[in-house]
Amino acid sequence: MTIALFFTLLLGAVPIALVLALSAMYYIYASGNTVLFDSYPQQLFAAIESYGLLAIPLFMLAGELMNEGGVTRRLIALARLLVGGFRGGLAYINLVANMMMAAIVGSAASQIAIMSRAMVPAMEEEGYERAYSAAITAAGGLLSPIIPPSMLFVLFGVMAQVPIAEMFIAGLLPGLLLGLAFFIVIALVGLVQSYPKGAWPSRTQALHDLLWGLPALAIPAIIIGGILLGIATPTEAAALASLTAWLLGRLLYRDLTLKAMPGVLKRTAVNAGLVIMLIAAAGVFGWVVVYERLPQMAAGWIAALTADPFIFLLLLIGALLLVGMVIDGIAALILVVPILLPIAQNQFGISPYQFGVVVCLTLVLGLLTPPVGAGLFVASSMTGASPLRIFRALLPFLAATLFVLVLLAWQPWLTTALIGR
């Protein structure tokens, strides 16, 4: 009955946080263990009682400050300087800029929204089809769960009790591999479609873009360099990135006005509040799942299917693609990890880093896949292209992502080499 209520609320467009909280409450009532209601508020609080989760609002604030303060525009100009002269240069610029933004924003939906506003109109002006421009931008959002900082990696690190900094490092090689796969897709599609010819900026313009773009690189350098060198924790790096974004936008670029700050802080507070509420609700739902010993039952069922770690990860990818199509990635992550991570580690000897990278990327892939496909609707609302046309243009990128996922499942060293485990 609890499962029926869960799907009824979900299909009834009830916010996912309420779906999880109400389903957990109904389960406690239906099971007769009403004494668990005494622990319900405590479990809600326990799900968000982690220092690592402070990184989420801080990274959101950094992204808002960058967008409002003109940092995003300078990063795009810098990307144009690097790849703008190739045929189809704006497509490559879009991807390079997305890789830079993925190292700052950490949220796929936010990245798609920011980059859609920045890149799609420019691509349309140069003759690119709107749906294809939106598709490249949406595909760039797939880089955010694995190129640090990643909101999903923060959550996974907290739940799996592994260092968040090491999770970030584990995502570097897979992120570069996925970026390379997308470059190849753009090049192959360019052979079929006649991309507009790119143009390198003039020497004066190139020098201008370089001088104004280099300071913007300080933000990803602070985040990634600070974590890799052990100078700052992910939360501290997020705070430093926010401060740097404010200083650049206010003092150097002068695009960030004091009048805009209340709006920046309000958007950050609302978005972070939604995420934290979702984490709390999913945490209490996960508590019920563990109480019912679902991980042990799932372990027995999976053991009957295979004893091969690679086959297990392939089955996991298939199942999570379906889950990600209908459930928000954050909620799905919190539901899946308590059940499947112990099985992956204890029964198959899979590294939590490999497991985390595969799970996070697979769940975000559902963001761009119907029937829910929240990322598709974000891209559609920002560009005016229909979700179905964007999805069709996305298919080569989705296929490349699936190829990378299979490669990550097959070769564990891609996620563990840089952390030496």
Side-chain angles (χ1 to χ4, degrees):
M1 191 66 186
T2 305
I3 295 174
L5 175 66
F6 177 85
F7 283 105
T8 300
L9 292 174
L10 190 67
L11 296 174
V14 176
I16 187 67
L18 289 179
V19 172
L20 296 170
L22 292 174
S23 297
M25 291 180 70
Y26 179 80
Y27 166 79
I28 294 171
Y29 170 77
S31 67
N33 295 323
T34 52
V35 69
L36 294 178
F37 279 124
D38 295 337
S39 300
Y40 191 94
Q42 189 176 6
Q43 293 298 326
L44 280 171
F45 180 75
I48 57 175
E49 190 185 15
S50 172
Y51 171 74
L53 292 179
L54 277 173
I56 292 176
L58 288 171
F59 280 128
M60 286 182 169
L61 177 59
E64 289 287 349
L65 289 169
M66 283 181 56
N67 203 37
E68 194 71 38
V71 179
T72 304
R73 191 167 70 253
R74 269 77 180 192
L75 286 175
I76 292 172
L78 194 59
R80 182 185 292 272
L81 183 62
L82 295 174
V83 292
F86 299 122
R87 179 170 290 278
L90 264 184
Y92 294 106
I93 291 168
N94 195 340
L95 186 56
V96 171
N98 265 296
M99 293 184 76
M100 292 178 180
M101 290 298 294
I104 300 166
V105 177
S107 165
S110 298
Q111 184 173 328
I112 291 169
I114 292 170
M115 296 305 294
S116 292
R117 291 198 300 268
M119 288 302 304
V120 173
M123 292 184 73
E124 269 197 289
E125 284 180 13
E126 293 203 13
Y128 292 84
E129 191 178 281
R130 181 181 298 182
Y132 180 68
S133 305
I136 294 178
T137 308
L142 290 170
L143 297 165
S144 68
I146 51 177
I147 292 181
S150 162
M151 196 182 301
L152 290 181
F153 278 3
V154 172
L155 291 177
F156 181 83
V158 170
M159 297 177 63
Q161 297 184 338
V162 297
I164 296 172
E166 291 189 356
M167 274 305 304
F168 283 177
I169 295 169
L172 286 175
L173 278 180
L176 294 174
L177 185 63
L178 187 61
L180 176 62
F182 285 173
F183 271 109
I184 293 172
V185 168
I186 290 174
L188 292 177
V189 172
L191 294 176
V192 179
Q193 302 180 8
S194 54
Y195 281 160
K197 193 176 186 308
W200 296 107
S202 66
R203 181 174 298 181
T204 304
Q205 185 65 42
L207 184 60
H208 175 274
D209 291 344
L210 182 64
L211 290 175
W212 286 97
L214 284 178
L217 289 178
I219 299 175
I222 286 171
I223 294 171
I224 298 175
I227 293 170
L228 288 180
L229 297 175
I231 298 171
T233 66
T235 303
E236 291 165 350
L240 290 172
S242 298
L243 176 61
T244 305
W246 185 86
L247 290 173
L248 289 176
R250 179 75 184 146
L251 303 180
L252 181 62
Y253 300 141
R254 300 182 182 274
D255 288 350
L256 181 62
T257 62
L258 292 177
K259 190 176 179 181
M261 283 304 297
V264 168
L265 296 175
K266 180 182 177 182
R267 289 193 297 272
T268 302
V270 169
N271 292 332
L274 291 173
V275 172
I276 297 300
M277 183 179 176
L278 180 56
I279 294 168
V284 79
F285 190 87
W287 168 59
V288 168
V289 164
V290 173
Y291 186 84
E292 276 297 287
R293 297 179 60 82
L294 285 184
Q296 290 84 344
M297 290 188 282
W301 178 72
I302 292 171
L305 292 176
T306 182
D308 187 325
F310 177 56
I311 300 299
F312 167 75
L313 286 174
L314 290 183
L315 292 172
L316 180 69
I317 290 169
L320 292 184
L321 279 174
L322 297 176
V323 171
M325 287 179 187
V326 294
I327 301 179
D328 178 84
I330 294 174
L333 184 71
I334 299 176
L335 295 177
V336 163
V337 171
I339 298 174
L340 294 179
L341 180 59
I343 300 171
Q345 287 185 279
N346 302 329
Q347 197 161 322
F348 295 95
I350 295 171
S351 162
Y353 302 101
Q354 182 189 19
F355 180 86
V357 171
V358 169
V359 166
C360 291
L361 181 54
T362 306
L363 288 175
V364 174
L365 193 59
L367 190 73
L368 300 176
T369 312
V372 177
L376 288 177
F377 289 99
V378 170
S380 176
S381 65
M382 291 293 167
T383 63
S386 75
L388 183 58
R389 290 185 63 202
I390 296 174
F391 177 69
R392 285 175 181 163
L394 260 174
L395 286 174
F397 296 96
L398 299 182
T401 306
L402 280 175
F403 173 78
V404 170
L405 273 170
V406 172
L407 200 58
L408 294 175
W410 179 42
Q411 297 293 333
W413 67 269
L414 289 171
T415 51
T416 57
L418 294 181
I419 54 176
R421 299 191 184 189

